[in-house]
Amino acid sequence: MTAINTNVNSLVTQTALRRNEVEMSNAMTRLSTGKRINTAADDAAGMAIASRMTAQIKGLNQAVRNAQDATSMVQTADGATQEISNMLQRMRELSVQSSNGTNTADDRTALDTEFQALMLEVDRVAENTQWNGRNVLDGSVDVSETQELGTVATSGVDDTDGWISIGPGLQIGDQVTYNANGGNEIDSTNITDGASAYVVGINESGAVQLSGTAGGTAWDTFDGSGGNDDQSFTLSGSWVTYQVGANSNQTVTMSFGDFKIDSTDGVYEQDISGWNIRTEDSANTALTGLTAAINKVNAQRATFGSTVNRLGYAIDNLANVSLNAEASRSRVQDADYGAETSQLARTQIIQQAGTAMLAQANALPQTVLALLK
C-alpha cells in the first residue's frame, strides 16, 4: 500500500536510531567513567555486590592504617622502656658497687646521688612518654574492660592435671572469670560459677592452668568432671584495643602497663620509689629488687615486641585481602575498554547508516507526486 500519512519505514528507522542512541550513550558513559555499572538500571544485582565490596575494601584499608598507627604507638612505648631498662641496669650496677665493703659512707652517698637521679628519670620517662597526646607508660592509656572468651567444652577440661582449653591469646597473669551458665561447675571449691582466677601456666597447645592469686600455685585437680558444654570464661583487665579488621570485634588488645616508680600494681609489682644504696643492707635490698624489676620490664618489652610482630602480620594479611577484594569488585563494576570501544564504534556506524536510511525513508512519500501528474 502506498500512503503518505503514515511513513512506516521512517518510524522503523527512528525506533532503531533511538535504541542505537541508548546503546551509544551507555558506551560513552562507561568509557567516560571507567565503570560498567553507573546506575542501578545498568545491573541492579551487580551494583549491590559492588557496593558491599566497596564498604569492605574501605574498611580493610582503614584497618591497615589503624594497624600502622598501633605499631607506631607500641614502638614508641618500646623505645622508652628500653631507656628505662638501661637506667635500671645502671642502678643495679651502682647497687652492686655500693654493697662492696670497701666503700665508705661518703662513697655510698655519692653513689646514691646518681642512683636517685636515675630513679627520678625513670619516673619522668614513665609520666611523660606520649603518643598522639596520650601518656602510654603511666597506666592511663589502658582501659578496664571484660572480653568474652567463648565456650569451653567438657572435653577441654583436664580434671587430673588442671589444664583448661579456654582459648588462644591468654598470657601469664591474666585474670579470668568463670561462668557455669546454669550447668555443672568445674570445681566445687575453686572454679565455681562467678569465681575469678589468674593464669599461672600455659602449655604448648595453649591450654592454661589457673590459681586464686597472680603467680600462685596452680590448681591441678578438679572434682567437676569437666563442668558442662555451655560453660565459658571472660577475660578481665586493662588494655588498649586496636581495630584491625573491617568488621566489628576484629581487634588486637595489649596492655601497656604502669612504669611509675610508686605504683604498687604496676609493671614492677611494688613501690620502688623508696629504694636507696646509702648503706650496705639497703644496697643489697635494692639489688634484689632491681633484678626482679628488670625481669618485669623485659617481660613487658617482650609483649611490645610480640604485638608489633603480630600487627605486622595483620597488616600483610589485610593488604592481601583488600587486593583480592578490589580485584573481585573490578570484575563486577569496571568497564572493559576493549569491548566498550568496539561497542561505541559499532553504534556510531549504525547511527550514520540509520541517519542516511531515515533520509531515504522520508523521501519515499515524494514518489506519490508522480501518480498525481
Side-chain angles (χ1 to χ4, degrees), residues 86 90 126 140 161 191 203 216 220 233 254 262 289 298 302 322:
N86 291 340
R90 174 56 180 164
S140 62
D161 291 327
I191 308 183
N203 65 15
D220 54 5
F233 283 85
M254 193 202 73
D262 60 349
N298 290 339
S322 177

Side-chain angles (χ1 to χ4, degrees), residues 39-308:
T39 66
D42 293 335
D43 185 347
M47 184 206 65
I49 293 171
S51 179
R52 185 170 63 250
M53 286 184 172
T54 297
Q56 190 74 0
I57 291 166
K58 287 182 178 291
L60 289 167
N61 291 339
Q62 182 58 56
V64 169
R65 294 191 290 271
N66 287 355
Q68 290 170 337
D69 288 341
T71 299
S72 297
M73 184 176 182
V74 177
Q75 287 176 333
T76 298
D78 183 49
T81 52
Q82 180 177 356
E83 298 308 316
I84 289 177
S85 179
N86 291 340
M87 288 186 283
L88 292 176
Q89 293 282 7
R90 174 56 180 164
M91 291 166 66
R92 187 181 186 280
E93 182 181 5
L94 293 170
S95 299
V96 172
Q97 183 177 358
S98 180
S99 63
N100 191 14
T102 62
N103 293 301
T104 65
D106 290 339
D107 293 335
R108 290 193 174 96
T109 299
L111 292 171
D112 187 61
T113 299
E114 182 181 355
F115 185 93
Q116 297 302 326
L118 291 171
M119 181 80 76
L120 292 175
E121 183 59 17
V122 168
D123 199 49
R124 191 194 67 81
V125 171
E127 291 183 343
N128 291 279
T129 300
Q130 293 186 336
W131 192 89
N132 195 28
R134 302 177 67 189
N135 291 353
V136 293
L137 296 180
D138 64 353
S140 62
V141 72
D142 295 328
V143 179
S144 297
E145 296 180 1
T146 58
Q147 178 181 345
E148 295 291 336
L149 299 177
T151 58
V152 178
T154 301
S155 58
V157 180
D158 187 340
D159 288 332
T160 58
D161 291 327
W163 294 103
I164 306 175
S165 299
I166 296 177
L170 291 175
Q171 300 177 3
I172 299 295
D174 284 342
Q175 183 180 15
V176 296
T177 302
Y178 174 65
N179 307 295
N181 293 324
N184 296 327
E185 297 173 329
I186 292 179
D187 187 81
S188 61
T189 302
N190 296 315
I191 308 183
T192 59
D193 187 38
S196 293
Y198 294 87
V199 176
V200 293
I202 302 177
N203 65 15
E204 294 180 355
S205 63
V208 303
Q209 284 186 318
L210 302 177
S211 175
T213 58
T217 302
W219 297 322
D220 54 5
T221 57
F222 307 130
D223 60 14
S225 299
N228 69 94
D229 286 335
D230 291 327
Q231 63 196 342
S232 63
F233 283 85
T234 57
L235 175 64
S236 303
S238 298
W239 52 73
V240 177
T241 301
Y242 298 118
Q243 178 68 32
V244 292
N247 305 311
S248 60
N249 298 322
Q250 294 179 339
T251 60
V252 169
T253 60
M254 193 202 73
S255 176
F256 280 81
D258 184 354
F259 286 82
K260 297 197 303 294
I261 61 176
D262 60 349
S263 297
T264 57
D265 57 352
V267 172
Y268 316 118
E269 297 182 356
Q270 57 181 319
D271 182 350
I272 69 173
S273 60
W275 289 350
N276 68 79
I277 55 173
R278 289 189 294 270
T279 66
E280 188 173 339
D281 288 341
S282 61
N284 285 323
T285 299
L287 178 59
T288 302
L290 282 166
T291 301
I294 290 170
N295 291 335
K296 297 294 184 182
V297 173
N298 290 339
Q300 187 61 30
R301 289 194 64 200
T303 299
F304 291 157
S306 60
T307 301
V308 168

Side-chain angles (χ1 to χ4, degrees), residues 319-359:
N320 179 62
V321 174
S322 177
L323 172 63
N324 287 285
E326 290 197 48
S328 298
R329 182 184 62 176
S330 176
R331 288 189 287 269
V332 174
Q333 178 179 265
D334 291 347
D336 183 342
Y337 267 69
E340 297 303 333
T341 52
S342 297
Q343 174 75 345
L344 179 62
R346 183 185 71 85
T347 55
Q348 286 176 333
I349 293 171
I350 291 175
Q351 184 187 42
Q352 294 174 15
T355 302
M357 292 304 100
L358 181 60

